[in-house]
Every structure is written in structure tokens, then in C-alpha cells.
Amino acid sequence: MTRTIPGKPQLLAEVSETSAATLELRSGEVTFEVEPEGEVTAEQLGAVLRSTDGSASLAEISAKTGVAPDQLTTILLPAQIAGLLADRAEPAAEAPMAVLGSVEHVVNRLLEELVFDGPFWRAILDHPEQVEPHVYYGFGLENWFFLSRECEFDSAILAYPSSDAIRTMANDFYHEEHRHDDIVVRAFEGLGIARADLVSARPLSTTSGLIKLLSWWARTDPLFFIATIGILEGRLEQSEEEGATYDSFLRACGIAGIPAHFVEPMRQHAKVNAGHDHGSVSREFFAALPPLPAGTTARLVGKAHLFVEAYAEFFNGVLEYYGNAARPLVRTLSASTLITTAGVDDGRS
């Protein structure tokens, strides 16, 4: 195993001379005797050990004592192995926006590969009129489940410990998101589905998986969770023709002839998100952060793959389950209360 000497080494021992050629290192009850080796003189050895006080870099110690860097390593390595060296160098820092940029670069590539080229979005984007209406309703339902459980993860960052600014922004975001599920729930009234039906229902396992994963990250790595918010909220596109905010799903609903009583509440929620510019929330959070410890980029990028895989499964799970119109639209614990849209006028005839 390769060992490296700390950038600004501090010797955790007292140095004293016992003879003209021998020095003694005392750490607690343990004493080490050291002697110069090779071309290093006893005077240089003593100068190196006394200069190793955490205030100077290896290059500065080398210049001060006249001992070459490779010889410094030879001298200090035994102390490193014995646990007698501490590193007093300031840890390298990473710019927060550069960290987020690296995460977004990886996530955007994975979104193209796993989400937008996945079964759900290919069907919605390429031939929306051929997609089973259940899929549109099911997508709305799973989004409602997600919104109604958003407090499970958003609330976890309200007490972000290292930044007053982040706590303030997190509280503002939480209040803006609060009760968004009340907007979306109105989309199902025309389908004969009441709030009570939704409250007693259960989401797909792929939806639950994404919710639990985000909840875990919000508690164990809140910085990574914050990096996902802008992606989850989405950057909505602007319609040049109508001057209003729409996203690809709502456009597909229009092409497929999904009734207005379902689409309009979904559109209203999209407009509320766009009005708060929630697609830029992650960038606003990261812009308020101080420099981050070295290794932050590697840690966050390392989690990006699992996040996008879970996000892709959320979408594809909708198509897989709701693509079969014979399956119940609302899945409750009691089989006798399962709700379907069979016989309901969906406005497409």
C-alpha cells in the first residue's frame, strides 16, 4: 500500500537529543530513538523533526533544512506509520456551482438515455394518440401520490445544520410546495375518484421506491437531495403559439384528446411550479453554499446513476401497469373497492 506524507505535517511527539547522533521522540508513555541515515546529518534530522510543527509544507521544510523531498519522505515515513504525524493542511475546497454542474452533466446524459429514450416517454412523445387513456390518468395519480408524500423528504432539510441561508430557502420552498396535491386531486373528480379514495389507495412500487430513496438521501446526504430538486420539479417549456407554460405531458394529453376536467388541474399545477421557478431551485440552493469539501463532486456524481435509474423506473412503471386498461386505476387495500374507469365517459368519443 502506498503511503503519503501529509501536506503540512505535524509531529505528535516531543523531540530531544540523547547524544550527538541520536534523537528521542516521546509521545505519552512511548519513546522512540531515531538516528540519521544516508547523507542526512544529525543536525539536519533534528531540524526536520523540529520543523514538522504543522505550519510548513514539505517544500518549505525542504528549503529550510536543505533535505531533499525524497529524503524527507524517508525520514518521516516511520513516524507516519507509527501514527505520529497529523495533517494541518487546509483541505482542498470545491466551488458549489461547479459541483452541481458536474452532477447535472451526468444526470442530463442519463436522463436522455434512461428516461426520455425509455418506454414511457417514447410512447408519450412519439404517438400520444395511441397511448391508453389509463396511462395519462395513472401518471396523474402517481404524481399525486408523490406530491402528497413530498413532506417525507422536503421536511428533512428544513434544519440544514451548516447554513442559515439554506434553512431559510428550504422553508420558503417547503411552504411553496405545501398542499400542491390539493390542486392535482381535482383532476380526478370527473373520473368519479374522490380524495378519500386516493388517501386509502397505494402507489405503484416504483413510485414508492423513488419516494423512499429520496427520503433516505434527504436524511443522510441532504446536499445530494438538494441537487435532485430542480430535476424533479422540471424546467417547463414555453409555448410560443399560446404564450403560456406547458410541458410535454400536457401537450400529449391535448393530442390524445384527454378531457379538460382532467388536464386543467394538471396544467394549473404546472403553472404554479413555473411561477415559482422551481426548476432552478437546486441552482439557487448551491449558489448560497460556501465552498464544499474536496471529494464532494465524486460523492454526488456517484449517487446520480441510482437516482436516474429510480426516476426512470417511476415513469416506466406507469406505462407497464396502467397500459393495461383492465387493471384498476385506483388500487385500495380492499379488492371490493377497487376503482376503474370502465364505463366512465372520458370525453374522447
Side-chain angles (χ1 to χ4, degrees), residues 84-342:
L84 296 179
L85 282 186
D87 193 352
R88 293 294 178 255
E90 290 291 328
E94 299 183 7
M97 293 304 291
V99 171
L100 182 60
S102 297
V103 175
E104 287 184 341
H105 176 74
V106 173
V107 167
N108 288 338
R109 174 176 57 80
L110 293 172
L111 286 174
E112 290 295 331
E113 295 176 1
L114 302 179
V115 175
F116 298 121
D117 275 343
F120 176 86
W121 281 110
R122 283 273 57 90
I124 293 294
L125 296 173
D126 293 348
H127 42 80
E129 70 285 350
Q130 298 177 23
V131 174
E132 168 61 44
H134 255 52
V135 172
Y136 292 98
Y137 303 140
F139 182 68
L141 281 169
E142 298 306 314
N143 270 278
W144 182 86
F145 288 127
F146 189 88
L147 289 170
S148 65
R149 290 160 173 78
E150 196 169 351
C151 60
E152 290 187 22
F153 37 86
D154 284 351
S155 61
I157 62 169
L158 296 181
Y160 192 83
S162 59
S163 172
D164 290 340
I166 295 300
R167 286 196 296 275
T168 299
M169 295 170 68
N171 275 273
D172 289 343
F173 175 72
Y174 184 85
H175 284 297
E176 289 174 358
E177 284 291 296
H178 185 55
R179 306 202 67 149
H180 276 204
D181 54 308
D182 286 347
I183 302 173
V184 176
V185 77
R186 294 197 293 270
F188 309 109
E189 294 173 355
L191 300 176
I193 301 171
R195 169 180 283 277
D197 300 317
L198 296 176
V199 170
S200 63
R202 64 186 190 273
L204 296 176
S205 60
T206 45
T207 302
S208 293
L210 180 61
I211 291 169
K212 297 303 181 184
L213 197 56
L214 291 169
S215 180
W216 169 254
W217 278 324
R219 286 159 175 77
T220 62
D221 193 347
L223 197 60
F224 179 71
F225 169 72
I226 289 170
T228 70
I229 294 175
I231 299 159
L232 294 169
E233 293 295 322
R235 292 185 178 88
L236 304 183
E237 301 167 324
Q238 191 73 13
S239 168
E240 295 180 0
E241 294 80 10
E242 301 184 37
T245 305
Y246 298 95
D247 66 11
S248 300
F249 175 76
L250 294 175
R251 282 201 301 273
C253 285
I255 296 171
I258 302 301
H261 63 70
F262 174 81
V263 177
E264 288 311 311
M266 305 290 288
R267 192 188 310 281
Q268 182 182 353
H269 177 245
K271 288 182 177 181
V272 170
N273 268 356
H276 291 305
D277 195 21
H278 283 181
S280 300
V281 166
S282 293
R283 294 178 182 179
E284 292 171 3
F285 272 84
F286 270 74
L289 288 169
L292 300 170
T296 300
T297 297
R299 187 184 85 241
L300 301 194
V301 167
K303 297 178 179 181
H305 292 75
L306 180 57
F307 164 65
V308 180
E309 287 172 3
Y311 197 37
E313 286 302 305
F314 165 76
F315 290 112
N316 297 334
V318 169
L319 183 66
E320 180 179 354
Y321 178 82
Y322 295 103
N324 184 347
R327 290 171 173 165
L329 188 61
V330 178
R331 306 183 308 149
T332 61
L333 297 179
S334 172
S336 63
T337 59
L338 291 176
I339 298 174
T340 73
T341 57

